[in-house]
């Protein structure tokens, strides 16, 4: 039986698979930057390879040889990505950027496939090869947040406002820019705090004080980030998008301003995740979206716990930044697949992102069996139930708020008809004639003369 979906008001009729996977660029101003230049690129690559091959000394350090070889593989894969991969749903500032993002995600996915077939000591040796200082690092040295919770002071509250707090604020602002729905954002935010409580028996770093969870995380950092991001979305949605070619601008200041505006969205599509006419499958899609989001966040903490690294380590930071870049086109493609009946396939970037998520999950489960052997099945069942409950509660609250904000005004009693006031020509002694309300079928309205002061 084919899947049935309801057309959402926010979906553009042209927003089908082709436009989210290979969006064309309209109104090209400078054709030079949108031509392939394949021959020129090939000549430059050959020249660069020749120079590197005959000028670099490979006998100095074999570690440097491996590092240089890996860099060369990544560079050439990025070049091939720019030449061959699809644009995706975004074209600003240039489609080549989003082709590189897809290329980076493919490299990371292939790296995960390689690591899945290695033992723990080999993966640990790879990490130590990149950073030998990690040989003495243990997870026991991480900061604890859930001790002496009733010892509340200004100094302690300020001590919790670290770079992680700014990361919460900035991260939720970025999430608001790509999700653009208060109900779903607040549901994910609350669900993550519940996820930390459920998985606290596996990751002690998840244990936080009640005021840290409720006030600092949910209300302040996450709440302010969501509000800031949604205000930016509101501004971009109300903005008028009329682009003038940079060749038609005469002043240098105007050209510079137009060049900076190239890094802003080309257009801003109004999204509507929830629709009163949508089917039950829309709720299933949102629940699935929340589940995958929680798994992505959990992978971040399990990776740095099973393969001990601090949160500020370059490997962890690079993965978080890369995940944020990949998530932007992924969410757009997933939204279109869920809401637009014309989209029959999942976007390429979305497919790769899902495979990365589950590959990371398999990797941490495979090499963290000792840790997961302490898993409480009742807590896992509770976690799945909470995801469904929070998803339903978020959808229900969103519909209730929508009906409250767009409620229709109360109509007058159906048994009473109020005729309009009839006013005669103005004059000092001319009375105004007003009709009084009468019942239906009462033989017409009775006229009543009212003498008003001049």
């Amino acid at each position: 039986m084919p899947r049935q979906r309801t057309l959402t008001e926010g979906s553009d009729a042209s927003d089908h698979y082709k436009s989210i996977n290979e969006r064309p660029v309209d109104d090209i101003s400078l054709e030079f930057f949108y031509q392939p230049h394949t021959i020129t690129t090939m000549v430059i690559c050959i020249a660069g390879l020749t120079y590197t091959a005959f000028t670099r000394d490979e006998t100095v350090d074999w570690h440097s040889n491996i590092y240089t070889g890996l860099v060369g593989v990544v560079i050439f894969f990025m070049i091939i990505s720019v030449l061959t991969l699809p644009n995706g749903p975004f074209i600003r500032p240039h489609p080549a950027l989003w082709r590189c993002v897809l290329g980076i995600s493919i490299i990371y996915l292939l790296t995960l496939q390689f690591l899945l077939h290695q033992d723990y000591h080999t993966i640990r040796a790879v990490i130590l090869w990149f950073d030998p200082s990690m040989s003495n690092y243990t997870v026991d040295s991480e900061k604890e947040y859930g001790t002496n919770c009733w010892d509340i002071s200004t100094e302690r509250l300020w001590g919790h406002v670290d770079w992680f707090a700014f990361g919460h604020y900035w991260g939720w602002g970025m999430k608001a820019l790509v999700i653009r729905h208060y109900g779903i954002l607040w549901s994910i935010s609350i669900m993550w705090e519940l996820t930390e409580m459920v998985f606290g028996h596996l990751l002690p770093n998840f244990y936080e004080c009640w005021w840290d969870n409720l006030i600092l995380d949910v209300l302040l950092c996450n709440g302010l980030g969501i509000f800031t991001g949604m205000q930016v979305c509101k501004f971009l949605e109300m903005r008028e998008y009329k682009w003038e070619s940079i060749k038609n601008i005469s002043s240098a200041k105007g050209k510079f301003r137009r060049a900076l505006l190239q890094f802003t969205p080309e257009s801003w599509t109004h999204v509507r995740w929830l629709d009163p006419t949508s089917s039950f499958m829309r709720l299933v899609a949102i629940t699935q979206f929340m589940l995958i989001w929680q798994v992505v966040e959990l992978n971040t903490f399990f990776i740095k716990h099973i393969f001990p690294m601090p949160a500020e380590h370059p490997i962890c930071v690079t993965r978080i930044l890369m995940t944020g870049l990949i998530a932007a086109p992924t969410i757009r493609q997933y939204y279109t697949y869920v809401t637009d009946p014309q989209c029959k396939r999942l976007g390429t970037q979305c497919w790769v992102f899902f495979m990365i998520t589950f590959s990371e999950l398999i990797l941490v489960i495979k090499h963290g069996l000792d840790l997961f052997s302490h898993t409480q099945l009742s807590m896992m069942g509770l976690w799945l139930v909470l995801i469904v409950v929070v998803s339903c509660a978020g959808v229900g609250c969103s519909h209730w708020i929508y009906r409250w904000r767009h409620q229709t005004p109360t109509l007058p009693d159906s048994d009473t008809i109020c005729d309009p006031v009839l006013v005669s020509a103005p004059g000092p002694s001319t009375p105004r004639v007003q009709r009084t309300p009468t019942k239906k079928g009462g033989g017409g309205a009775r006229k009543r003369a009212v003498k008003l002061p001049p």
Side-chain angles (χ1 to χ4, degrees):
M1 180 178 179
R3 61 190 177 103
Q4 298 178 355
R5 285 172 290 159
T6 306
L7 180 63
T8 300
E9 182 180 337
S11 298
D12 190 356
S14 63
D15 194 13
H16 46 78
Y17 176 78
K18 183 178 179 181
S19 63
I20 64 168
N21 202 67
E22 184 65 59
R23 182 176 177 179
V25 181
D26 301 325
D27 300 328
I28 297 177
S29 299
L30 299 176
E31 295 183 358
F32 174 81
F33 293 103
Y34 291 89
Q35 294 176 352
H37 304 290
T38 53
I39 303 299
T40 304
T41 304
M42 183 175 62
V43 172
I44 293 175
C45 289
I46 293 175
L49 280 176
T50 304
Y51 176 80
T52 304
F54 290 97
T55 59
R56 185 177 171 277
D57 187 6
E58 294 89 357
T59 61
V60 176
D61 185 11
W62 69 273
H63 292 277
S64 177
N65 295 340
I66 296 178
Y67 181 80
T68 305
L70 292 176
V71 172
V73 170
V74 173
I75 291 176
F76 266 85
F77 197 89
M78 290 299 98
I79 295 174
I80 296 174
S81 300
V82 171
L83 296 177
T84 61
L85 292 183
N87 296 340
F90 304 136
I91 58 174
R92 288 293 183 92
H94 194 280
L97 171 65
W98 300 106
R99 296 175 191 171
C100 288
V101 170
L102 177 57
I104 291 173
S105 63
I106 293 175
I107 290 179
Y108 183 54
L109 176 61
L110 297 178
T111 303
L112 290 173
Q113 306 314 306
F114 173 79
L115 295 178
L116 280 172
H117 300 282
Q118 311 304 316
D119 59 8
Y120 178 83
H121 298 288
T122 301
I123 298 177
R124 184 66 178 161
V126 172
I127 297 176
L128 295 179
W129 182 79
F130 280 103
D131 187 2
S133 64
M134 289 293 101
S135 58
N136 297 324
Y137 180 82
T138 59
V139 293
D140 297 332
S141 58
E142 293 184 346
K143 182 179 179 180
E144 295 184 359
Y145 295 91
T147 59
N148 301 324
C149 292
W150 291 104
D151 182 14
I152 305 174
S153 62
T154 305
E155 295 181 358
R156 188 176 185 191
L157 291 176
W158 180 253
H160 281 69
V161 183
D162 47 15
W163 77 280
F164 291 104
F166 176 77
H168 275 263
Y169 169 78
W170 181 264
W172 280 101
M174 294 298 102
K175 292 170 187 175
L177 287 178
V178 295
I179 297 178
R180 310 177 198 173
H181 191 278
Y182 271 114
I184 297 179
L185 287 167
W186 278 106
S187 298
I188 295 176
S189 176
I190 295 173
M191 187 60 222
W192 175 246
E193 300 304 322
L194 297 175
T195 299
E196 288 185 331
M197 297 179 186
V198 171
F199 284 86
H201 66 285
L202 295 178
L203 299 176
N205 194 35
F206 274 178
Y207 282 127
E208 296 177 339
C209 295
W210 61 269
W211 44 266
D212 196 350
N213 275 327
L214 180 61
I215 299 177
L216 293 182
D217 286 351
V218 177
L219 296 181
L220 289 181
C221 299
N222 300 359
L224 289 177
I226 292 173
F227 178 77
T228 303
M230 292 300 292
Q231 291 303 307
V232 175
C233 292
K234 184 178 180 181
F235 167 77
L236 294 174
E237 188 174 332
M238 297 173 60
R239 180 184 174 189
E240 184 178 5
Y241 293 88
K242 290 185 178 180
W243 298 101
E244 185 178 5
S245 174
I246 195 172
K247 295 185 294 185
N248 300 331
I249 303 175
S250 57
S251 64
K253 182 179 179 181
K255 290 180 179 291
F256 180 73
R257 182 175 180 272
R258 176 60 182 84
L260 291 180
L261 289 176
Q262 186 68 20
F263 292 88
T264 62
E266 187 263 343
S267 62
W268 196 260
T269 304
H270 171 70
V271 300
R272 193 172 183 181
W273 286 88
L274 304 176
D275 192 286
T277 61
S278 59
S279 64
F280 174 75
M281 293 304 298
R282 184 70 60 87
L283 176 61
V284 175
I286 293 177
T287 304
Q288 176 180 271
F289 178 74
M290 287 187 58
L291 176 62
I292 294 176
W293 196 285
Q294 303 301 311
V295 173
V296 172
E297 299 281 1
L298 283 172
N299 287 342
T300 303
F301 292 90
F302 278 121
I303 287 176
K304 75 180 187 66
H305 183 87
I306 295 175
F307 309 102
M309 292 178 290
E312 62 274 12
H313 193 272
I315 294 179
C316 298
V317 175
T318 302
R319 178 195 169 277
I320 292 175
L321 295 178
M322 179 187 63
T323 302
L325 275 176
I326 300 174
T330 296
I331 293 175
R332 181 61 187 173
Q333 291 179 349
Y334 182 78
Y335 167 80
T336 304
Y337 178 76
V338 168
T339 61
D340 195 340
Q342 298 185 33
C343 184
K344 306 296 184 181
R345 297 169 57 189
L346 200 62
T348 304
Q349 182 67 87
C350 188
W351 189 91
V352 173
F353 184 81
F354 286 172
M355 286 303 303
I356 288 175
T357 301
F358 289 104
S359 297
E360 287 181 339
L361 180 62
I362 296 172
L363 180 67
V364 297
I365 292 177
K366 175 183 177 181
H367 296 291
L369 290 178
D370 292 339
L371 175 65
F372 289 104
S373 63
H374 301 89
T375 303
Q376 301 176 10
L377 296 181
S378 59
M379 300 298 289
M380 296 300 99
L382 175 63
W383 180 63
L384 295 175
V385 171
L386 285 175
I387 289 179
V388 177
V389 171
V390 173
S391 301
C392 296
V395 171
C397 291
S398 299
H399 276 287
W400 181 83
I401 293 175
Y402 177 83
R403 289 196 302 267
W404 174 70
R405 293 182 60 185
H406 300 83
Q407 58 183 349
T408 56
T410 305
L411 298 176
D413 188 3
S414 59
D415 294 334
T416 305
I417 302 177
C418 296
D419 291 338
V421 177
L422 302 178
V423 182
S424 60
S429 59
T430 305
R432 294 184 181 181
V433 179
Q434 184 180 26
R435 293 186 178 183
T436 58
T438 60
K439 298 290 184 180
K440 280 185 178 180
R446 292 181 291 117
K447 293 183 179 181
R448 178 167 56 92
V450 181
K451 184 66 179 270
L452 299 177

